[in-house]
Structure formats: structure tokens, C-alpha cells
Amino acid sequence: MASQDWVEKDFYKILGVTKGVADADLKKAYRKLAKDNHPDLHPGDQAAESRFKDISEAYDVLSDPAQRQEYDAVRAMGGGARFQAGGRGGQGGFEDVFSNLFGGGGFQGGGFPGGGGFGGFGPQRGSDLTTTSSIDFIDSIHGTNIKLNVAGNSVTLKVPAGIQDGQKLKLKGKGQASPNGGQAGDLVVTIKVRSHPVFTRDGDNVRVVVPVTFTEAVLGATIQVPVLGGEPVKLKVSPGTPNGRTLRVKGKGVQGDGRQGDLLATVEILVPNRINKKAEEALKAFDAEIPEEDPRAELISKAGLL
């Protein structure tokens, strides 16, 4: 994201927090806003989708101490380029000036090009530029194109499907120009993947936790499971499914370039915290009908062997 975006966007205001907000309060504010404005709850609502992206972008920056410090500094100065020149942390000095003038090789005997006095010197390659760009979780799975502003010029970066958080991409020749006619440097972009309120990444697979009722787990059921960027799919829960069992939906993870990821849905059995008298009596009757066994007997037996 270019520095101008940081100047124009008040991330603290977007998240409804103050500048000195603690990490825990920041996360709490983000989770509430992300849940309320998630596109899945507002299908077709472009405004909600835009708000969700702004919320995710704001949290991505403010939750990272280094980016938050840089953001505060940029806002305090009212702008300034976030692209940094490679080499010595991007800090140019007296020695760098002479390095630029003489191709990094100092004076070489013989004469200036086309004249006498000093020898010819080779064209110097321009410095690399580095920046960071944030993308949504879904775009990290399916791939996307992002536009960057480099020294006033718009460049397009293709982000491949399956990119990981923190991975770097390089645009050849899009860095700093050479000072003496040599090859331009490269633009190195670090990709930050925003977290998703429902899905997580596991290699080329996508994970989701799916709640089921006690009755569904015992008797079996066909349930709906959310899919990243698509319509929910139906999944069969077998009778007697235990808590924590993982069910697989083929082909709903990272795809492309020989990769074939799946959706891994982990069952989480919900236990009601309150039931009425009739349900309580029914459970007692159910308990009386099932085979009498101690579910902890094997655990205790193994523990005694140690």
C-alpha cells in the first residue's frame, strides 16, 4: 500500500479505537467489526465488502508493531515514500554518491569515457526497492492481481494462488533507475495475508471448524459446510461421530500449478448449557438405555502403567 493511502486513511478511526489502544482491545474491536461487516452476512452489498476490507487493512497494520510505528510516523509527517532503497538500509551517504558516480568501482586509471584523466567505468545497476502489500485471505488461496504505485508509476503485480503470509515477490526492473545508464533495480514486495474469521490455512488445505449438535453427532446428519468464495456444500456426518473428527471436501483448497488442496472440516460438538425438565428426563432415559461403560477406564489404566 502506498504512503498516500496511509495519509488519507485513519486506521484508528476505522476500528473505533484511540491511538494508544492496547493490543487486546484492538483485537476485540477488530473481531466485532469483522463479524458485523463480513461479506457472507451481506451478500451483494458492495459497501459492506468495502468496509470489511478497510477494517481488515487497518487491523493488519495496527496489529503489527513495526508497521504501526511506521504508520504513526507517516501520519505525523503527512506522507513520504514508504519504498526503501536496498543496501545499507536505504540510507545514502557521501560514499554512496561516489559509488553512484563511478559505478561502485571507484576511480580507474586511463581517463573519463571519451576523454583523458580517468579510466572508463561500468554502468551501475539501480537499487532494489522494497514495500509491503496486504491481500485478503481468499485472494491468497485463489490468486489475484494488485496495483502498486512506485515513484508515481502504476505497476501490476500478479500474486499466484497459494501464496503464504510473509512471502516475497519480485518485479524485475521496477526498482530504482540506474544513475548512469545501467539496468534498473527490482521491486521486492512482501505479501501480508489478512486473517479470516472462519478459515485458516494448512499447507495447500483450508481448515474450518463446523459445529454440530449432540443429536447430529449421535444419530448422524447431512450438514452444510461453508466454502471459501463459493456456495456451502453438503457433508455427511456419520452416526457416532466423535468431537474433533475431520471431514474432507476434495478440491476446495489451493488449486493450480499442480497443487490440489482440500477443505478440512473439523467437527465441534455443541453441548447445550441449559435444558428444560422434559429434555433432562429424556437424557436420563437415554443414558439408562445405552451400554454401561466407563469412558475413562482405558485412560486411567494407561496412566497407572507409567
Side-chain angles (χ1 to χ4, degrees):
M1 180 176 61
S3 61
Q4 189 61 33
D5 294 329
W6 282 20
V7 175
E8 295 174 352
K9 292 184 178 181
D10 187 339
F11 291 154
Y12 294 103
K13 185 176 181 181
I14 289 172
L15 293 177
V17 297
T18 59
K19 188 174 180 181
V21 64
D23 292 343
D25 293 331
L26 180 69
K27 182 181 290 186
K28 183 178 180 180
Y30 162 70
R31 286 181 173 175
K32 183 179 186 306
L33 289 171
K35 182 179 179 181
D36 292 343
N37 293 276
H38 196 276
D40 289 349
L41 299 178
H42 307 276
D45 188 339
Q46 296 298 321
E49 183 177 347
S50 179
R51 286 196 302 272
F52 179 76
K53 288 187 176 181
D54 285 343
I55 291 164
S56 298
E57 183 180 51
Y59 180 71
D60 183 67
V61 172
L62 297 184
S63 63
D64 184 311
Q67 287 202 77
R68 183 173 178 176
Q69 184 178 16
E70 186 179 357
Y71 170 75
D72 289 341
V74 168
R75 293 274 297 178
M77 292 186 296
R82 294 187 64 241
F83 294 99
Q84 302 171 352
R88 295 191 180 124
Q91 302 296 319
F94 190 75
E95 296 169 333
D96 295 325
V97 174
F98 277 91
S99 176
N100 288 340
L101 288 175
F102 297 101
F107 294 102
Q108 300 175 14
F112 288 112
F118 294 100
F121 49 86
Q124 181 187 6
R125 181 182 180 276
S127 299
D128 290 344
L129 298 179
T130 62
T131 190
T132 300
S133 185
S134 299
I135 63 174
D136 289 333
F137 184 86
I138 187 171
D139 290 331
S140 75
I141 300 299
H142 299 311
T144 187
N145 291 324
I146 56 178
K147 289 190 178 297
L148 301 169
N149 190 298
V150 185
N153 297 317
S154 179
V155 296
T156 300
L157 174 67
K158 183 178 181 180
V159 180
I163 194 166
Q164 298 276 11
D165 180 56
Q167 193 170 333
K168 299 180 187 296
L169 298 176
K170 182 183 291 186
L171 280 171
K172 298 287 289 185
K174 297 300 183 181
Q176 199 169 70
S178 168
N180 50 15
Q183 183 181 8
D186 300 330
L187 175 63
V188 181
V189 184
T190 301
I191 300 298
K192 297 286 289 182
V193 179
R194 301 185 186 104
S195 59
H196 195 282
V198 172
F199 301 100
T200 57
R201 182 80 176 269
D202 182 5
D204 286 341
N205 298 322
V206 174
R207 286 189 174 273
V208 62
V209 175
V210 183
V212 299
T213 66
F214 173 74
T215 304
E216 288 173 332
V218 173
L219 302 180
T222 298
I223 62 173
Q224 283 195 321
V225 176
V227 174
L228 189 66
E231 293 294 322
V233 296
K234 292 183 178 180
L235 200 58
K236 184 177 180 181
V237 177
S238 300
T241 293
N243 188 64
R245 174 172 290 178
T246 297
L247 310 175
R248 185 180 298 268
V249 182
K250 286 285 189 180
K252 295 300 181 180
V254 178
Q255 305 295 314
D257 295 330
R259 307 168 84 167
Q260 184 73 22
D262 302 326
L263 176 68
L264 305 179
T266 299
V267 170
E268 181 180 64
I269 299 175
L270 298 182
V271 179
N273 54 14
R274 286 181 298 180
I275 57 175
N276 58 31
K277 192 67 178 177
K278 186 175 181 181
E280 182 181 346
E281 293 301 326
L283 278 175
K284 288 179 179 178
F286 166 80
D287 186 60
E289 293 297 326
I290 62 175
E292 198 172 316
E293 59 182 18
D294 184 354
R296 292 165 292 279
E298 185 178 356
L299 175 68
I300 294 172
S301 176
K302 288 181 178 178
L305 295 176
L306 298 179

